[in-house]
Amino acid sequence: MTRSVYVTGVERGDGRQVVELGVMELLTRHVDRVGVFRPLVHDDPDRLFDLLRARYRLGQSPESVFGMTYHEAATLQAERGADELVSQLVGRFHEVADAYDYVLVLGSDYAATSLPDELGLNARLANEFGASVITVVGGQRQTAESAGAEAHNAYRAYEAQGCDVVAVVVNRVVPGDREALAERLAAKLPVPSYVLPEDPSLSAPTVSQIVRTLGAEVLLGDDTGLSRDVRDFVFGGAMLPSFLPALTEGCLVVTPGDRADLIVGALAAHSAGAPPIAGVLLTLDERPGPDILALASRLAPGTPVVSVAGGSFPTAAELFAIEGKLTASAPRKAETALGLFERHVDTAALTERISVGRSGRVTPMMFERELIERSRSRRRRVVLPEGAEERVLRAADVLLRRDVCDLTLLGEEGAIRKRAAELGIQLAEARIVDPQTSPLRERFAEGYAKLRAHKGVSYELAYDVVADVSYFGTLMVQEGLADGMVSGAVHSTAATIRPAFEIIKTAPGAEIVSSVFFMCLADRVLVYGDCAVNPDPDAEQLADIAIQSATTAARFGVEPRIAMLSYSTGTSGSGADVDKVRKATALVRERRPDLLVEGPIQYDAAVDAAVAATKLPDSEVAGNATVLIFPDLNTGNNTYKAVQRSAGAVAVGPVLQGLRKPVNDLSRGALVQDIVNTVSITAIQAQSPASPASPTSPASPTEKAQSA
């Protein structure tokens, strides 16, 4: 039987979309096929479903999501009774339930409806669907005492109607009341309760939402600028010297269109980063001349300048009535909402309460969301040397909003903050360090000079070397000021890992540093190694790569079954290349008899059960391999890219292994999500010391060479 959870409330304005989004995130981490059903819908587009469909790549058709409109429901209930209404909605629900493993049901919103006893209807539908219930109460503008009483009443209301209430969430609570309310609810309610504080950035509208609501004309600005949150309004009427001190971070400047001095002044202040504004809204249907607009576009590229026909007073009345919404066009709000949900909800306990069993398949999305969840479980500090790079800043924005880890960005602080302001990104929770001016530079130079004295490195030379962001970031990791480093979006692999070889060095028992990619296919995750570091490993090194890769796979939830790849399977081939793989396989068995390993074996026999049944019918690995070790870099790099591009796989990596502390390299073509994934992996690697790749032994010549 398909399982389902029904998220519902008791009145409008409870900000329930945060909870619905959070529950969907939990479901997609564990279940391959999740359906959505909203029994009642307004005639307007369903913004939340559009967000869920875009974010979670839902293939479900909109027609199957919705039961009927509120008007149709009210008419049906009036003409044929509540039983007929419920019967039809139950039938439509089961059409979705028959097609999916789990269904998230979005309860009615209590907004301008003519249905009597809407709470009772939600309770009855939940019972008829066989769904567990999460009830949400809005705590906005309430005291802790009144919000607690309302939460208790909401639980009793649904419980009295026979619902299986698994949790109560009180949302939009005054932050200072959160802890007291949480204690009160824990003492009174027989089910888990969670209290989410009000987050002003969620209720702040974006510039694009204001443009749509007011019917404004966009004179300047790009999509990034239009996606900025508007956290304040500053109305310009004073002269420029009095006006500038009134500007606040994230404000929308509202001024008559003929005040060129205020327009230019506000944008110049934004360009200087003091403070970064959301944009400028011009009233009275006045537009500055082309020279002023050209100057404005050069002062603050991408910053929105929009125009409306109305005057400042009626425009102000409309502005103050606009409230931010979770929509597909505002992905950063979704990240903020998920971060809020995950910080204040025991997601593991809630997952168990709503009876979410883990799917046998592991999809790319499930793997990526599992990385976020695990990295958040024990917060770590990651340093990003390329602090002013746009993709890195966008990834940092996601990581901070999701509360994944603490971040340090390296670079000139003014340049980083200015670029972040242009992108509408807030870095309040990030640490920014400039290696050129940091007090740590002298300390690092002394340590590096001592470490490299055998290479003739003086303090003066070291002082110059450690100002390089890659060296500075690596030294932060070595000195315990960060737990891991991620670089490579604009730097070469050599620039990223050379400092690690010199400073951090290989882990005990690891002969060499190597890499893996997590290849997320449609129905499973495979581990490919080594596809990025070692051009032509010998048999001993290949065995070390295999053992390291198996350790990495196990750490990230992939049961290691190692295939040592070659162009022949079993004893069918001979030659130096095959002999190398055969010897490496024997070494793996000798060093780690607990690991399942097969080799030499061809790729098709490693992953295809039908082929394996013909070529190696008695193998425990053939046809079921999860860790695939390539004989050389040429084969590995080309294979991972071919699978990535031709099979549509998500390639997460390269993930470096064999270092004492985690440093990971990015592809210079890395997307924002690639950076988020790699930082998450780095944080997870830093949560526990790396397991030895093989029994500890004296440093090999290769280790000594890399350490040098």
Side-chain angles (χ1 to χ4, degrees):
M1 179 179 177
T2 299
R3 291 156 296 170
S4 56
V5 60
Y6 198 117
V7 182
T8 184
V10 295
E11 61 182 357
R12 67 177 304 180
D14 53 23
R16 197 185 321 154
Q17 295 84 1
V18 172
V19 180
E20 292 166 333
L21 181 64
V23 172
M24 187 67 171
E25 181 78 11
L26 292 185
L27 294 176
T28 55
R29 285 179 191 162
H30 299 87
V31 181
D32 180 19
R33 299 182 307 142
V34 181
V36 178
F37 183 68
R38 190 187 289 281
L40 300 173
V41 65
H42 294 282
D43 292 326
D44 301 329
D46 191 310
R47 290 184 297 268
L48 181 67
F49 175 67
D50 288 343
L51 170 61
L52 296 179
R53 181 168 54 176
R55 183 177 184 85
Y56 300 104
R57 307 166 204 160
L58 302 182
Q60 186 178 357
S61 67
E63 295 75 21
S64 69
V65 172
F66 309 121
M68 61 183 70
T69 67
Y70 282 96
H71 176 72
E72 290 171 337
T75 302
L76 180 61
Q77 181 165 326
E79 294 177 354
R80 302 175 62 180
D83 288 349
E84 180 62 25
L85 169 62
V86 170
S87 176
Q88 290 197 22
L89 291 175
V90 169
R92 295 182 187 184
F93 165 78
H94 281 294
E95 291 175 9
V96 177
D98 289 345
Y100 294 92
D101 300 324
Y102 206 108
V103 180
L104 170 62
V105 185
L106 312 175
S108 68
D109 59 12
Y110 298 87
T113 67
S114 54
L115 289 169
D117 189 18
E118 201 164 334
L119 187 151
L121 176 60
N122 281 300
R124 183 173 176 187
L125 289 174
N127 288 334
E128 296 290 351
F129 297 167
S132 302
V133 170
I134 298 174
T135 184
V136 184
V137 172
Q140 190 182 32
R141 293 184 292 274
Q142 291 199 64
T143 64
E145 184 176 349
S146 64
E150 186 168 344
H152 190 262
N153 290 337
Y155 167 77
R156 292 295 300 273
Y158 281 100
E159 190 269 341
Q161 298 198 49
C163 294
D164 174 28
V165 181
V166 294
V168 175
V169 181
V170 185
N171 191 27
R172 306 189 71 176
V173 172
V174 175
D177 292 342
R178 199 199 74 80
E179 290 190 12
L181 178 55
E183 292 176 3
R184 180 191 298 267
L185 293 177
K188 284 191 171 185
L189 291 176
V191 297
S193 56
Y194 307 107
V195 181
L196 278 56
E198 174 81 5
D199 188 324
S201 66
L202 288 176
S203 55
T206 61
V207 178
S208 61
Q209 184 184 348
I210 289 173
V211 168
R212 288 194 302 272
T213 303
L214 300 185
E217 179 185 354
V218 178
L219 305 181
L220 295 175
D222 56 21
D223 290 342
T224 298
L226 290 168
S227 70
R228 295 177 190 171
D229 289 336
V230 177
R231 288 176 282 159
D232 193 10
F233 300 108
V234 174
F235 294 86
M239 299 303 292
L240 189 61
S242 301
F243 167 74
L244 289 178
L247 295 177
T248 58
E249 184 173 347
C251 71
L252 181 69
V253 173
V254 184
T255 182
D258 58 0
R259 290 297 303 271
D261 58 332
L262 300 187
I263 300 168
V264 172
L267 295 174
H270 170 86
S271 180
I277 64 174
V280 179
L281 190 154
L282 308 178
T283 61
L284 298 175
D285 206 21
E286 292 280 350
R287 294 167 175 76
D291 292 343
I292 296 297
L293 284 178
L295 175 59
S297 67
R298 290 194 295 271
L299 279 173
T303 298
V305 177
V306 304
S307 174
V308 295
S312 295
F313 184 78
T315 299
E318 290 187 82
L319 288 173
F320 285 120
I322 301 173
E323 187 170 348
K325 302 290 183 184
L326 291 176
T327 66
S329 62
R332 285 193 294 214
K333 282 193 186 298
E335 301 294 354
T336 300
L338 286 171
L340 184 72
F341 181 86
E342 291 163 342
R343 273 193 297 275
H344 300 289
V345 172
D346 185 338
T347 54
L350 184 59
T351 299
E352 185 174 348
R353 295 278 296 174
I354 60 178
S355 303
V356 180
R358 184 170 293 277
S359 171
R361 285 161 42 101
V362 179
T363 67
M365 187 181 301
M366 291 166 68
F367 183 75
E368 291 176 353
R369 277 152 179 63
E370 181 75 10
L371 291 179
I372 294 289
E373 184 175 27
R374 288 187 59 191
S375 58
R376 292 182 64 255
S377 65
R378 292 174 58 198
R379 194 178 181 92
R380 289 294 181 261
R381 302 161 298 171
V382 178
V383 58
L384 305 176
E386 299 154 325
E389 159 65 25
E390 178 178 339
R391 289 166 296 159
V392 171
L393 285 169
R394 292 190 184 280
D397 188 35
V398 173
L399 291 160
L400 292 172
R401 288 173 184 265
R402 293 296 300 278
D403 205 30
V404 170
C405 60
D406 294 323
L407 292 178
T408 298
L409 303 176
L410 300 186
E412 198 276 308
E413 182 169 4
I416 291 174
R417 293 202 179 279
K418 180 180 178 181
R419 185 64 180 130
E422 292 170 354
L423 298 170
I425 292 170
Q426 301 171 41
L427 294 177
E429 297 179 25
R431 180 186 180 196
I432 300 176
V433 176
D434 185 353
Q436 298 284 342
T437 60
S438 171
L440 292 170
R441 184 175 179 181
E442 293 182 4
R443 168 180 156 187
F444 286 173
E446 290 175 0
Y448 184 72
K450 191 176 298 183
L451 180 69
R452 304 292 289 173
H454 67 290
K455 291 291 185 180
V457 175
S458 64
Y459 171 81
E460 289 74 20
L461 177 58
Y463 189 76
D464 290 336
V465 170
V466 302
D468 177 89
V469 290
S470 296
Y471 276 90
F472 195 93
T474 304
L475 283 159
M476 288 187 69
V477 176
Q478 176 67 11
E479 294 292 318
L481 302 174
D483 299 305
M485 183 180 91
V486 174
S487 189
V490 293
H491 290 88
S492 67
T493 294
T496 298
I497 65 177
R498 185 187 298 113
F501 287 161
E502 294 179 4
I503 297 164
I504 293 175
K505 305 184 181 180
T506 52
E511 182 179 333
I512 58 175
V513 172
S514 62
S515 72
V516 295
F517 279 88
F518 289 96
M519 301 300 295
C520 303
L521 305 175
D523 60 349
R524 54 186 158 169
V525 176
L526 301 178
V527 176
Y528 283 10
D530 172 11
C531 303
V533 178
N534 297 285
D536 189 17
D538 60 26
E540 288 76 12
Q541 293 170 336
L542 200 59
D544 193 65
I545 291 169
I547 294 170
Q548 289 182 17
S549 300
T551 301
T552 300
R555 180 177 293 176
F556 288 91
V558 177
E559 182 182 352
R561 294 186 292 273
I562 308 169
M564 306 295 287
L565 298 176
S566 175
Y567 60 78
S568 72
T569 294
T571 59
S572 65
S574 61
D577 291 339
V578 179
D579 291 342
K580 178 179 79 169
V581 175
R582 186 172 289 117
K583 181 180 178 181
T585 305
L587 288 170
V588 173
R589 289 179 176 142
E590 176 185 329
R591 296 176 185 176
R592 290 289 303 274
D594 58 305
L595 291 174
L596 292 175
V597 59
E598 187 67 68
I601 185 172
Q602 292 161 289
Y603 190 99
D604 58 349
V607 300
D608 189 310
V611 176
T614 301
K615 295 188 174 183
L616 284 174
D618 299 324
S619 172
E620 293 183 82
V621 173
N624 296 293
T626 56
V627 178
L628 296 107
I629 305 303
F630 295 92
D632 53 60
L633 185 61
N634 180 55
T635 306
N637 192 269
N638 278 294
T639 302
Y640 108 75
K641 288 182 177 177
V643 173
Q644 179 187 32
R645 301 299 178 186
S646 301
V650 175
V652 180
V655 177
L656 298 184
Q657 51 191 13
L659 289 167
R660 291 178 184 268
K661 297 184 178 183
V663 171
N664 281 312
D665 181 37
L666 296 165
S667 163
R668 273 172 280 182
L671 304 175
V672 171
Q673 188 59 46
D674 297 331
I675 300 173
V676 171
N677 290 339
T678 304
V679 172
S680 300
I681 284 174
T682 305
I684 294 168
Q685 287 178 308
Q687 289 174 354
S688 60
S691 301
S694 59
T696 302
S697 58
S700 68
T702 306
E703 180 182 359
K704 291 176 180 176
Q706 289 190 336
S707 298

